[in-house]
Each structure stands twice: as structure tokens, then as C-alpha cells.
Amino acid sequence: MSSVEDRGITVNDLFVPDPKSPILICGMPGSGYVGKLAVDHLVESFKGRKFAEAYSAEFPPHGNVDDGGVVRPIAGEYYLCETGQKHDLLIFTADAQPATTNGEYEMSEWVLERARMHGVKQVFSLAAFITGSFSADQRVFGAATSLELTRRMKEHGVKVMKEGAISGMNGIVTGMAVLYGMEGACLLGETSGYLVDPVASEAVLDSLSKLLTVKIDLGSIRDKAREAKQVIGQIQRMTEQENAGRPGPTGQPGYIG
Amino acid sequence: MSSVEDRGITVNDLFVPDPKSPILICGMPGSGYVGKLAVDHLVESFKGRKFAEAYSAEFPPHGNVDDGGVVRPIAGEYYLCETGQKHDLLIFTADAQPATTNGEYEMSEWVLERARMHGVKQVFSLAAFITGSFSADQRVFGAATSLELTRRMKEHGVKVMKEGAISGMNGIVTGMAVLYGMEGACLLGETSGYLVDPVASEAVLDSLSKLLTVKIDLGSIRDKAREAKQVIGQIQRMTEQENAGRPGPTGQPGYIG
Amino acid sequence: MSSVEDRGITVNDLFVPDPKSPILICGMPGSGYVGKLAVDHLVESFKGRKFAEAYSAEFPPHGNVDDGGVVRPIAGEYYLCETGQKHDLLIFTADAQPATTNGEYEMSEWVLERARMHGVKQVFSLAAFITGSFSADQRVFGAATSLELTRRMKEHGVKVMKEGAISGMNGIVTGMAVLYGMEGACLLGETSGYLVDPVASEAVLDSLSKLLTVKIDLGSIRDKAREAKQVIGQIQRMTEQENAGRPGPTGQPGYIG
Amino acid sequence: MSSVEDRGITVNDLFVPDPKSPILICGMPGSGYVGKLAVDHLVESFKGRKFAEAYSAEFPPHGNVDDGGVVRPIAGEYYLCETGQKHDLLIFTADAQPATTNGEYEMSEWVLERARMHGVKQVFSLAAFITGSFSADQRVFGAATSLELTRRMKEHGVKVMKEGAISGMNGIVTGMAVLYGMEGACLLGETSGYLVDPVASEAVLDSLSKLLTVKIDLGSIRDKAREAKQVIGQIQRMTEQENAGRPGPTGQPGYIG
């Protein structure tokens, strides 16, 4: 174990990755677990290997216990996914978002420093676009650090955001990418915000796959999405019956996270 | 891009300005956007060029998205305005005030350090004087680090404040100026606090122009002020009709921000 | 007095301990004072000697006054307990938990650094498992950094936790132990959360004694436990009389702290 | 102006004091302004000269404006009072208490470091003992870092506190004094907490004078105390008339600050 102190972050390096023209994909736990489920799927389907853990004094002050009774400190995790295609992927995720403003910036900057060290030129963060209502649509919203990238997003069916803010580490990592000589983009899957939503995760991964021209096997997340759609369908039918005769929900996006 | 770590602030220097006996003007977003509108007007009318961006881990943890879908991290911005007159202006503004006490002090001290580096001897911060009621008056209140400067303010029609506090970065930058070998002053435009108020911004710029003996073209902000006055006039007439027969608002200033 | 600055922690070293294959026992004040009472008992029964005090700018901002009018700053305390058995014990406790997330991590890391310095290989934190209801059971729950250790816990009658979080310094110290080359474990005594609970402390110490194969004299805490049981018994009888005919409490564990 | 960075504190040294066997007196703004009024009186009556100002990023984020419109940053102030008696006094006070836990500890440690540098062996902090009710008594409560000092307090009519906490910088400075090789004591003047209370300040100064064997001219604060007593007397008579026939206030001390 090598241990490095970096602006209040302790790093545990497990091995030194040697990725091929890598792209950073960042997904943090948040509403609907849209980004978290998506990056977990990438790690699983590309047999990603964890190469670094990051501990921060700004994470929530807990020890996590898994279902076997094993305790672990809250950590950020960096994975190498060798795709065998044009781009390897570096995946960053964590057990939780840092608990303070300062902690969110610190961890974001550490993630970007590491990515730069490994030659990353593009960063995609995967997040949720909270609408507050269930919808049959699976829209993916996007924003990026350059107009060229937003144009490419549009070509692949991503709805480009107009004014607003992307909160938390997803917004910071995307925006700050340019300060590290990278392009940044955020893909936000439309979701109600009420349920863990693999449907939104699948839609986000589908857009990501097209934008990166990296083929992603969506098999297992599609299965989870199908189950979730059935649950959501039931909820919608129940809601519709309740609301019959009343003005319906507008489907207007309300909050982005 | 040069990147400097300075007390938790990351600086992105765009060019090295060479201002002529410069004066620092500081305007931050806040109630009524009085200071922010005023400095934005200065940058626009003097064709200011941004020479430095400052990023802080104490800014709100967001990425800002503009109406073209372009994401940017929250930043402080330093502009050079070459006036062609006796004094050039250095303008500091930001997308947001820092989110913590510590962050407000840190950013203020960085702003003053930079100003000192460029030979600044006088600092003016532009802010709002919240009254909580609409008024036909466009009073400008002021406070300064020396009695001489408060005297000059009075001569130019500025009402000198009596006891109180100027909150946020405007108050810190003004008060701390003396620690950096500068004079500091704050001009606060009277405003209701309910609306974005270009009328107050215009009044503040008018006072600033007289105090600095720097001619400022107020054309475009005067247009915005005229529109705003019409809106406020309508609100006042509506309020008066409602209040007819009841004791009216006192117009007493209530809060300074 | 030697004074060391260590990440915002000021250390006052009283003597240099020379423990025999020591184990770290950590108990912090919290709900039911389960862990605090347990470590205080260990210090008392093994005639522990304080070898270091730690002061942190993240402790609550108070001075504590004892019943003789003597003021002391809030401190963390490290004791050496020479058991005359296979393992000596290092005990860490404090007047209060740090007041910030950052402070909890900082103090935990300092505690682990010191423990490593003295050759500690195993860390046990003693805590409370809050149920919200009074119960005749004296269950002890546990979690550890390895499956081997959870297995040994089970053999000694400890109920292994399934998913959840251990909050505060107890959770951080346990989880982070592995980063310092140690095994970590947490023993949580079942308690209502409403009263200081020496019954739970006794149960935790009994489990600890078996796991460590260190004999602990439980005499005086058993006396306190007996008194507490009588009080709890009275409360239960009163509650039962009140609840006669109503559905009773479920005894379901609700919160772990 | 010399400027020093010391743990986030910026110091402005005005002159280098050369005090004769000095004692540190610390009084911060708080309930009833008991400590603040008392130290202001000491500065005034001994013609104290300010020798250092301390600025902290943890002070409330404001600029203070005085009644002449002059803005000053919030500051801690260190005064030298040459008494011409056995002990000179170093006085520390501030415009406000720091806004964070960390800030309170940092400023307290800086104050103690400076005091040690000037050879201080004894620290007295002056504070309020909040009772929540008006009383004819002018009791002074006390706590100290040694039993000897609490004994001397009793001899001079100070009521020694029994268990509790002294909150804020007064408690930290007193408790931490021992870590800087000094004795610490806190004198707390009984006060209602509802009004600025020079009566309590006078009582505290009277006790301080006896404990230090330093003669303090209490003339001007006695005048203020007399006025305040008349106001309090009126309030009491009004309250008594209102409460006639109802159970009266108990005068039980409730909160110490």
C-alpha cells in the first residue's frame, strides 16, 4: 500500500494503470442512482479493476457495513476498464458525495489531476435530470464545455440544457475539466427522482456509447430497466386512475442534480 | 494557462495587465444585483478585458450552464478597463459569493493582494442598501476607511452611513483595504431588495463617476433604469391604491447588504 | 510537556509507553454512554495511566468545569493499561466527539497513527446499538474489517451486523484500521438510547474479554449494571401497566451509533 | 505595518510592548456585554495602548461602520495597560467572537501564544453568568485551572462553579492556559442576559482587583452601573406588580456563557 497525502485526501494506490487513450467517466450516488448504476454497470461489463482508493476527511463520518458484517471506510474508487476498443475507460465513483462544499471541490480536483496524469482528454459525468413525475420518455439531457461537443450531443439525440446549474461533483468535474486541459461533458438521464432508476441509467449509457464510439454491452442493465419499467408502469396506472378527471402532471423538468 | 495555488484559490491568468494608476471596483451578486449590474456595465462600456479567473473550493458546489448548454465552473473574474482617462479601472466580480465565512475572507484577500500587485491605491465596492420599500428617491449611501473620503462623499451628494455593518465581500474588501496600503470605500444604492434594480446601479455609478473624476457613459444602464422605473411606478401605484386610507410605508432604511 | 502540531491536533505527551503486543480499545461518549463507561471501567480496573492528551480545534468550543471548579479544555486521552496478560491495552477516549466531520476524521487518523507507532495490530471500538425500547436482552452486535474476525465474533455469541453504518469516530476508526495495517472491529451493546446504560457496557466488555482472551474484572461495572437493571425493570413494569391491552413494542433495532 | 500569517490569522503589529510581569485579561462580546464592558473600562482607565490587531477568516463576514461612516474590518485587539503597580495588564478583546468552532480555538491559541511571548503567567477571562432573571445580588462566579486559585477566589467572595462548561473563547482561553505554562481563571458576573449589564462588569472588576492586588479605578463604570441599576429597579418593580399573587421567579442560575 502506498499512501499519499494530497490536500486532505489520502490515496491508496493498488496498481499503476496503463490505459489506452483513456476517457474519464464519473458517476456519483445521487437522486435515482442514475449515474452510480451506470458506472457500476461499466465496471461490471468491462471487468474493471480498481487501481486507487481515495479517503477524505470531508466524507460523511461513518463506517459502512456490508451484508457480511464487514466494515469499510467511505471511499472514492478509481477503476480501469480495458475495452479492447479505441478508448479505455477510467471510472470514478464513491460510496457517498463529500459532506462539505470544500470536500466536493477537493475530491473533484483530485479526480481531474489523476485523470490528467493518465493522459485523459475527455471527461463525461453521468447524472440525473429530476423531473418530479413519471414519464414514458427516456430523454437524456446534456451540457458540455464547448459548443462543438454540445453540437455532437444533439446529433446523437441528447437534448442540450439551456441555462441552469449541475449540482455537486458532477457539475464541478465537468466544468473544471477545461482547467486541466480536457473537454468536459455531463449526460443527465431524465428520472422522477422517487425511485432508483436503471431505465435512466440505460438511456444515459446508450448516449454515452454513441458519443464515445465505444460499444457497451447493455444486457444486464436492460434487464434491470425492464423490471423497473414494469414497476413504474404500475405506479403510473395507479396514479392515472387516481387522477382521472383531474388536471394531469405537466412533465416539466424541475430540478437537475 | 498558468495555474497558481494561493490559499485554496486556483488562479487562471489570461494576460498580464499594465494599468495606468488603477482603481479597483468590486461588485458582487447580491440583493437587487445593484453592484453586479454596475460593474457589468463598466466592463461593457469600457470594453473591459478579463485578465484572471479565480476558482475557490468555497464557492457553491455547482457547474453553471449557459443558454447554449456550455458548462463553466463558478469563478471570480478580474477585468482591466482602459478608460483613456486619468485612472484605469480594475473590476472584480464573480458568479456567486463564496459559500462560507472563510471563503469570503480568502477571496477578498486574494482580490486585494492582486490589486496591490498592480499598484492600486483606492478600492470602491458597489453594493445595495436595502430599504424593504419602493421609493422615488435614488439615494446613494457610503462609508469609507477615512474621514477625508467620507467628507468627499458628502460633497458629491452621498449620504454617509452612521453605524452598522456592510455584509459579505463588499464589507470585507472595503474594510481590509487599509491593511493592503489602500483607501477603501463602499457605495450602496438604495433599493427595495425585491427586484433587480438598475435604477440603483445607475445612481451608484453616477456617484462613482464624480468621486473618481472618471467619465462613465451611462447610456445603456439608463435605458434599463428607465424600464425598471416604469415597472416600479406601476407597483407603487398599485400599492398606493391598496393602501389608500391606511398608514403608508415609512421608507426607513432597514438592512444593508 | 512536549507539544506537537499534527494536522490541527495539539498533542501533550505525558510519558512514552512501552506496551506488550498492545490492542487499541476506543470508546467515545455517545448514546447511552455504552462505549465511554466500558473504557472508563477498563482504565479503572487495570489502573491505566494517561500517556497523551490530544487537543483539537474541532472539539466543541467549551472549557469543562469539574465539581471542584477546575477548568480543563476538552481533550482526547490515551491510556496505557498493563494487564499482566498476553496483551496490554491502549485505551482512547475523549470528553466529547469532535464537532465537525473533518474533526472526526482527523482525530481518528491521529489515534490510528499513534496506535501503529506503538505496534498495535488490532483495534476494537466499543459503541451502542440503539433500539429505542427497553429489553431484557443484552445482545452485543458486531462488525469487523475481515470475515475471519466476524466468524470469531459469532463463535463468542456476538450477533454480526448486516448492512448499515456505524456513525462517528467508532465507525471511522474501525473502518480505517486496515489502512494502518491493522484489523478493526466494533462491538455495539444493545441499549434503549434513553438512559446511561452500564448493562450494555458490561455485555460489551464480556464479549471483548472473550475475543481478546484477556481477563477483565467486571466487578464494579456489574454493580452499576445491577442498579441500572432495577431502574429499567421499574420503567418496564410501569410501561407494561400503561400499555396493557395495547400492542407492545417490537424490540426491533432501529439505529446504530 | 508588519504582517504575519499565523494559522489563518493575519497580525498587524503596531508596537512591541515591554510589560512588567504582565497578566492577561480577556473579555469578549457576549450576553450582557459583561466581559467586554469590563475590559473596555480597563483600557480606558489605564490609558491602554493598542499594540496588535488580529484578523481572522473565521470572524463574521462583515465590515463594521462607526457613527462617522468609517469602515473597519472585524478585528481582535491587544492592548498594553501600564498600571504603575506590581503587574502590567495585557488586554485582549474583539469586535465579535469568531463564527466557527475552529476560529474560536485558533484565535484563543494565538492570544495565548502572544501572552506567553510577553512573559504572562496568569490569564483571567471575564464573562457573564446568565440567570435569566433580574436580581439584587451581584454575585461573581469563578473557575480556575488549579484548586489553589479556586481557594483564593473563595477568600475574595467569588462563588466557585460546580460542574458545567464555560462556552466560547472565555472557556477555551482559560482551560488551555495550562498548555502554555500559565494559570487560567474565569470570573463570571451574574446577569439576567436581557440587558447590557455594567453592574455585573463592575462586580467582576472588583473581584479581579482583589485577586490581582492591582488597584482599579472603578469610577466611570460605577456611574454606568448606577444608571443601569435604576433601569433594572424599574423593570423589577413593574414585573413585581404584574406578578403580584403569582409564584415569583426563582433566581436559579440557568446558563453560563
Side-chain angles (χ1 to χ4, degrees), chain B residues 51-221:
Chain B
F51 63 90
E53 292 168 333
Y55 303 95
S56 163
E58 309 291 344
F59 272 135
H62 298 301
N64 270 353
V65 183
D66 71 17
D67 55 12
V70 174
V71 196
R72 284 186 345 112
I74 295 196
E77 299 177 319
Y78 236 131
Y79 291 87
L80 169 65
C81 290
E82 289 167 311
T83 63
Q85 304 176 47
K86 197 175 164 192
H87 297 291
D88 284 342
L89 305 180
L90 297 185
I91 308 283
F92 182 79
T93 187
D95 296 312
Q97 301 241 11
T100 65
T101 283
N102 196 284
E104 293 191 88
Y105 274 98
E106 247 178 22
M107 189 57 79
S108 299
E109 291 179 55
W110 178 79
V111 167
L112 289 166
E113 272 170 25
R114 278 287 169 124
R116 180 169 57 186
M117 207 174 97
H118 295 301
V120 165
K121 296 289 178 217
Q122 268 196 332
V123 180
F124 281 81
S125 65
L126 309 184
F129 192 98
I130 310 296
T131 61
S133 64
F134 294 107
S135 143
D137 284 345
Q138 289 156 36
R139 286 181 297 177
V140 174
F141 291 82
T145 55
S146 69
L147 284 171
E148 297 87 280
L149 197 44
T150 59
R151 228 169 282 138
R152 278 186 46 219
M153 283 181 163
K154 267 182 233 164
E155 290 166 19
H156 290 95
V158 172
K159 280 191 74 69
V160 173
M161 282 176 64
K162 288 196 178 166
E163 288 223 317
I166 302 168
S167 62
M169 277 188 62
N170 290 318
I172 299 172
V173 163
T174 306
M176 286 220 154
V178 287
L179 301 174
Y180 291 79
M182 307 171 196
E183 270 193 309
C186 186
L187 293 171
L188 307 106
E190 178 175 13
T191 189
S192 69
Y194 303 131
L195 299 173
V196 171
D197 190 352
V199 182
S201 302
E202 187 204 340
V204 159
L205 286 174
D206 189 53
S207 296
L208 181 71
S209 172
K210 288 170 188 158
L211 279 160
L212 300 186
T213 59
V214 166
K215 217 179 122 42
I216 300 169
D217 177 1
L218 295 175
S220 65
I221 201 155

Side-chain angles (χ1 to χ4, degrees), chain B residues 7 101-102 104-105 109 143-147 150 160-168 171-172 174-176 179, chain D residues 1 5 10 12 53 55-74 99-100:
Chain B
R7 295 183 190 165
T101 283
N102 196 284
E104 293 191 88
Y105 274 98
E109 291 179 55
T145 55
S146 69
L147 284 171
T150 59
V160 173
M161 282 176 64
K162 288 196 178 166
E163 288 223 317
I166 302 168
S167 62
I172 299 172
T174 306
M176 286 220 154
L179 301 174
Chain D
M1 188 195 100
E5 277 285 337
T10 304
N12 182 10
E53 291 168 334
Y55 302 96
S56 163
E58 309 292 343
F59 272 135
H62 298 300
N64 270 353
V65 182
D66 71 17
D67 56 11
V70 173
V71 196
R72 285 187 342 115
I74 295 196
T100 65

Side-chain angles (χ1 to χ4, degrees), chain A residues 102-228:
Chain A
N102 196 283
E104 293 191 87
Y105 274 97
E106 246 178 21
M107 189 56 80
S108 299
E109 292 179 54
W110 178 79
V111 168
L112 289 167
E113 271 170 24
R114 278 287 170 125
R116 180 168 59 185
M117 206 174 97
H118 294 303
V120 166
K121 296 287 180 220
Q122 267 196 332
V123 180
F124 281 81
S125 65
L126 309 184
F129 192 98
I130 310 297
T131 62
S133 63
F134 294 106
S135 145
D137 285 344
Q138 289 156 39
R139 287 181 297 178
V140 174
F141 292 82
T145 55
S146 69
L147 284 171
E148 296 89 280
L149 198 45
T150 60
R151 226 169 284 136
R152 279 186 46 219
M153 284 181 164
K154 266 182 234 164
E155 290 167 20
H156 290 95
V158 172
K159 281 191 74 69
V160 173
M161 283 176 60
K162 288 196 175 163
E163 288 223 319
I166 302 168
S167 62
M169 276 188 63
N170 291 316
I172 299 172
V173 163
T174 307
M176 287 219 153
V178 289
L179 300 174
Y180 291 80
M182 307 171 195
E183 270 193 308
C186 186
L187 293 172
L188 307 106
E190 180 174 12
T191 189
S192 68
Y194 303 131
L195 299 172
V196 170
D197 189 351
V199 182
S201 302
E202 187 204 341
V204 159
L205 285 173
D206 189 53
S207 297
L208 181 71
S209 172
K210 289 171 188 159
L211 278 160
L212 299 186
T213 59
V214 167
K215 218 179 121 40
I216 301 169
D217 177 1
L218 295 175
S220 65
I221 201 156
R222 212 159 263 163
D223 296 344
K224 287 181 203 155
R226 211 170 296 132
E227 286 173 46

